[in-house]
Amino acid sequence: MKTAAEVISLMESMLNEEQQANLSRFFKTGKGQYGEGDKFLGIKVPQTRSIVKEAKTLPLSEVDILIHSPWHEIRLCGFLILVEQYKRTKSLEIVDFYLRNARQANNWDLVDLSVYKILGEWLLDERVEQKEKDVVMDKLSASDCLWEQRMSVVASMTPIKKGNFSYVWKYGELALTHKHDLMHKALGWMLRELGDADENELVRFLSLHCTEMPRTALRYAIEHLPEEERKRWMKK
């Protein structure tokens, strides 16, 4: 596939009404919920990934059309194409494009399936000065957009896996007082990743912050610890 129109036509032809209703409920699209107004075709992620394989060479001008679609799965397709292109090229143009359009990743799955594979990898790119990385991450963390805020936390996964814990510490601490449950889950998830990489680092973070952490974040963070240790942290 060489155009966004081809991708859209194919995906719209795959509409599944039963799955459409299920996804709308799962991603909280009701009035006042975090995904309010989002529209689903009812396409499962493996199906979307199969389309990405056929469309991964689309130019950014065509990807731009996909990520501005009103359909959730078509936006996801666009972001997954960016992931594939960045994995192959490590193009800084793709990172700039991703950041300019970050708010189009307007649900947790769109963030989680793309940010650490693009922005997280970029954080380890030696071509980019640390000052520039800090400016970008600070802007995301201080954003008024929940999804950009989540990006600032989940992007730390790739550095964590490479032994760089500075981002999860800085942006994890900034997220401690966030009011939204989706940020609590993101924080706990990244802390769990931290513990998998270096349990001593997780213990150090918990020792400083466990009494102020949201319980959801704490439960996620200690999930891979032995049962007795989990009980001890929850009592604190």
Side-chain angles (χ1 to χ4, degrees):
M1 284 179 279
K2 297 182 179 180
T3 67
E6 290 178 278
V7 174
I8 293 168
S9 178
L10 174 58
M11 295 187 75
E12 287 182 341
S13 75
M14 298 167 67
L15 187 146
N16 180 318
E17 291 185 359
E18 181 179 356
Q19 183 70 6
Q20 188 179 43
N22 291 337
L23 290 173
S24 294
R25 287 192 295 271
F26 182 73
F27 285 102
K28 308 296 186 185
T29 63
K31 186 172 178 58
Q33 295 181 308
Y34 61 75
E36 180 178 351
D38 205 355
K39 296 171 58 180
F40 287 82
L41 288 163
I43 301 174
K44 295 182 179 180
V45 173
Q47 294 175 291
T48 300
R49 289 192 182 279
S50 70
I51 295 169
V52 169
K53 290 179 182 179
E54 301 299 321
K56 61 185 178 183
T57 60
L58 283 185
L60 290 181
S61 59
E62 296 294 305
V63 176
D64 186 68
I65 296 172
L66 298 181
I67 65 173
H68 283 85
S69 170
W71 295 111
H72 184 102
E73 295 94 334
I74 293 176
R75 294 198 305 281
L76 175 60
C77 183
F79 280 110
L80 292 180
I81 289 171
L82 292 179
V83 168
E84 289 299 315
Q85 292 184 355
Y86 187 68
K87 182 169 64 176
R88 188 173 70 252
T89 67
K90 293 296 186 287
S91 167
L92 297 180
E93 182 184 5
I94 292 173
V95 179
D96 290 342
F97 178 86
Y98 183 78
L99 289 168
R100 287 198 308 273
N101 293 285
R103 294 191 178 207
Q104 293 304 117
N106 59 344
N107 214 311
W108 57 265
D109 62 320
L110 302 178
V111 171
D112 295 355
L113 291 173
S114 63
V115 69
Y116 72 92
K117 294 181 179 181
I118 297 177
L119 193 58
E121 291 285 349
W122 176 80
L123 290 173
L124 300 174
D125 193 329
E126 295 181 353
R127 296 173 297 173
V128 184
E129 292 186 3
Q130 187 60 49
K131 182 179 179 180
E132 181 180 349
K133 297 173 185 177
D134 291 343
V135 167
V136 167
M137 292 291 285
D138 288 349
K139 183 178 179 181
L140 290 173
S141 180
S143 171
D144 61 358
C145 172
L146 172 64
W147 311 117
E148 291 185 331
Q149 294 166 358
R150 187 173 173 105
M151 284 181 173
S152 73
V153 175
V154 179
S156 67
M157 184 191 295
T158 304
I160 288 169
K161 290 182 179 297
K162 300 294 177 66
N164 180 337
F165 307 140
S166 61
Y167 295 103
V168 70
W169 268 92
K170 179 176 181 179
Y171 299 101
E173 287 181 326
L174 289 173
L176 282 169
T177 57
H178 202 285
K179 298 185 184 305
H180 204 290
D181 184 63
L182 286 177
M183 287 296 287
H184 304 168
K185 291 176 179 178
L187 171 60
W189 174 23
M190 290 305 105
L191 292 176
R192 186 177 65 213
E193 293 289 334
L194 176 63
D196 289 346
D198 187 329
E199 189 173 311
N200 290 332
E201 281 292 304
L202 172 60
V203 169
R204 189 159 72 90
F205 191 100
L206 295 177
S207 296
L208 288 172
H209 299 299
C210 74
T211 58
E212 60 183 308
M213 287 177 66
R215 277 185 87 77
T216 297
L218 180 57
R219 284 199 304 271
Y220 274 49
I222 63 178
E223 194 171 23
H224 292 172
L225 297 179
E227 183 178 359
E228 288 304 313
E229 192 167 355
R230 294 200 305 271
K231 290 179 178 178
R232 180 170 65 84
W233 285 112
M234 292 304 291
K235 287 179 180 178
K236 291 188 177 184

